[in-house]
Amino acid sequence: MIDQSIKTMKEKLASGDITVRQLVDASIERIEEVDGTVGAFLRLDKEGARLEADRLDMQLMDGKMTASAVLAGIPVGIKDNIVTKDITTTCASAILSNFDPIHNATVVNRLHEAGTVTIGKLNMDEFAMGSSNENSSFHVVKNPWNLAKVPGGSSGGSAAAVAAGEVPFTLGSDTGGSIRQPASYCGVTGLKPTYGRVSRFGLVAYASSLDQIGPITRSAEDSAYVMQAIAGHDAADSTSANVDVPDYTEKLYADVSGLKAAVPAEYLGDGIDAGVKSRVKEAIAILEEQGIAWEEVSLPYSKYALPTYYILASSEASANLARFDGIRYGVRHESDNLIDTYKKSRSEGFGEEVKRRIMLGTFALSTGYYDAYYKKAQKVRTLIKQDFDKIFERFDLIIGPTAPTTAFGLGEELDDPLTMYANDILTIPVNLAGVPAISVPCGFSDSLPVGLQIIGKHFDEATVLQVANAYQQQTDFHTAKPDL
């Protein structure tokens, strides 16, 4: 019941074949059945979800739930760095293990207005810092396709929950690929919207100029429904763009012939697994059959994206995480004086990866190094953005793999942070440029999912979703389910 498309579930709710309470109970039962193995959820709100389900069923009976409310009654899981009133929000960090927000994030409020039912909070890399979801302070998440593999990160719990059939969709956050890379590893659909398209109010910041909330779903069509609910200007978020939101479903099934796609040579060059290359080339051929012309291009500054990102993101993290001191909120570790209380709270509250990035960022921002590192990285970021701008003068889309490999083994790269960071090499440039991108399943290599990345122009999520949906109408990879 819970592993069907959002549209199918909505039709069954409208016809009376199922109730919201049955959907919610099915989701909770599935989580209780498999999540002890997968580890996608950190906490459930079973009582709250069932109360909300009963309320929505009453609305359905009274005719107050309209057919246009596509998400009404649909269960959702929320990444644990998106604040939820009355549900503890920890960012998968020990330092916030007792933090109970007094308000919802804007996206959570918008989903509630659309009638969704929040099931619980999803596991992640601590403070969204990681590419494997092994950095959680509570427990690791495992890939539903192979429990010996990572699900990707930092939204590994969000992707694994959808892949495992625990909830129909989730919200994640994407700073350098943290929606798209786990979507690729787990064989689901993950969309990073344009920076500013979706409100960041209530998202616990990692890197404020890069973070963006987005949906993880089974299909591009489901993503369109979720985007319709969460996109739009928010006065509470100073980085929110006051740009009109189109109807994302309007051209979802429109003809894609005549569109032009660029395929960067760098995205299919050295370092990309042979199986990944093969699946992506097959996907490009399917899009070509549908009338999308493509041409090989170059993004010359993309080779500098990795160091640029880690300098900028770590610098912003060192500033954003300064507020977690054990005094105002979060876990406090008492000491004899205030300074030692700060030190003890932060040293015992933060995990190793978070401390590593805070130290890196503090170094990059320090006197004598600011110009050499942070300022230079900002200049390179501009060059990377200009690379994308030039391509989009001639092309509608950029297409390539989402990740250079399929999911790697649990524990395989924990002691090698540089190799771990390289897993985001194909997704990071998109965040630096601020453009939208989606990862859709495009086949398997060694029995593990491969993701196709479709990148669009600023605020043109509609075309990205249109092309992703066109591809999924010709393939069935997005319907494949792991055997748990």
Side-chain angles (χ1 to χ4, degrees), residues 71 105-114 169 171 191-200 212-215 222-235 237 239-249 436 459-462 465:
L71 294 182
T106 296
V107 288
V108 174
N109 281 334
R110 288 179 175 174
L111 285 180
H112 286 176
E113 290 164 6
F169 80 97
L171 290 186
L191 174 66
K192 185 207 86 71
T194 306
Y195 182 80
R197 172 62 93 185
V198 175
S199 172
R200 292 173 48 251
Q212 185 61 75
I213 295 170
D222 284 357
S223 288
Y225 294 139
V226 179
M227 277 296 294
Q228 206 65 57
I230 66 174
H233 180 250
D234 178 18
D237 174 13
T239 65
S240 176
N242 195 358
V243 178
D244 289 341
V245 177
D247 182 346
Y248 290 115
T249 63
F459 300 104
D460 194 16
E461 289 86 0
L465 289 164

Side-chain angles (χ1 to χ4, degrees), residues 260-262 293-295 297 391-397 457:
K260 294 177 65 179
W294 67 275
E295 183 180 319
V297 299
I391 295 297
F392 285 129
E393 288 175 2
R394 298 174 48 220
F395 297 92
D396 302 295
L397 303 154
K457 300 177 182 178

Side-chain angles (χ1 to χ4, degrees), residues 43-63:
R43 64 198 63 86
L44 299 179
D45 183 23
K46 292 188 278 189
E47 182 180 355
R50 284 171 171 147
L51 285 172
E52 180 64 8
D54 292 341
R55 188 185 72 83
L56 289 168
D57 277 330
M58 289 297 294
Q59 287 191 351
L60 191 62
M61 288 174 61
D62 295 341

Side-chain angles (χ1 to χ4, degrees), residues 175-225:
T175 307
S178 291
I179 287 174
R180 290 159 290 148
Q181 185 245 33
S184 174
Y185 284 2
C186 291
V188 292
T189 300
L191 174 66
K192 185 207 86 71
T194 306
Y195 182 80
R197 172 62 93 185
V198 175
S199 172
R200 292 173 48 251
F201 180 75
L203 172 68
V204 179
Y206 161 23
S208 304
S209 73
L210 298 162
D211 298 337
Q212 185 61 75
I213 295 170
I216 296 179
T217 60
R218 298 192 183 286
S219 67
E221 182 177 53
D222 284 357
S223 288
Y225 294 139

Side-chain angles (χ1 to χ4, degrees), residues 40 79 123-125 132-133 141 151-161 178 182 186:
K79 187 176 178 180
N123 207 348
M124 55 183 283
D125 283 300
S132 67
N133 220 142
V141 182
S154 61
S155 306
S158 299
S178 291
C186 291

